[in-house]
Amino acid sequence: MLSLNTYLIAVIIGTGLVSWLCRVLPFVLLKRFGMPRFLTNFLAFVPVAIMAAFVASNLFVRHAGSLPTLNVPNFLAAIPCVITAVLTRSLLAIAAVGVVTMALIRFLM
């Protein structure tokens, strides 16, 4: 029984160490070595692509064997969020408007 606990603790510590290294090592390497300019320019589009993927996946509902349909509550909540984003460019304001709008839509539907 003691060896199982030792093994379990070693596995937990090992996985934690590997997880920590995977997160810290890129920052250490990128701080020491710079990235080429084309890679920096390419990676500048990653946040936009990730945000577009999140928005698109929440605006449509997948159906097996047919085209996706529009998720109406999420679409209605996205409209004031887009308007807030254009007017304020504040992520906090966008999130607050989105939460309040979604709460109102769920309350009314």
Side-chain angles (χ1 to χ4, degrees):
M1 192 69 175
L2 184 62
S3 66
L4 180 62
N5 286 339
T6 305
Y7 174 75
L8 187 61
I9 290 172
V11 167
I12 290 171
I13 291 173
T15 54
L17 185 65
V18 168
S19 176
W20 181 77
L21 280 175
C22 289
R23 293 177 182 161
V24 170
L25 197 60
F27 290 109
V28 171
L29 290 176
L30 288 177
K31 186 176 180 181
R32 184 169 299 252
F33 305 107
M35 288 191 303
R37 185 158 185 89
F38 74 94
L39 188 58
T40 304
N41 291 338
F42 175 74
L43 290 177
F45 292 105
V46 170
V48 175
I50 291 172
M51 186 61 76
F54 283 142
V55 170
S57 68
N58 286 316
L59 285 181
F60 297 101
V61 178
R62 290 183 288 169
H63 300 286
S66 64
L67 292 175
T69 58
L70 188 66
N71 188 340
V72 175
N74 287 354
F75 178 73
L76 292 176
I79 294 171
C81 289
V82 170
I83 293 170
T84 304
V86 170
L87 294 177
T88 66
R89 296 184 187 269
S90 167
L91 188 58
L92 181 62
I94 296 166
V97 168
V99 168
V100 170
T101 306
M102 198 64 190
L104 284 174
I105 289 171
R106 288 188 178 176
F107 178 73
L108 295 174
M109 288 186 150

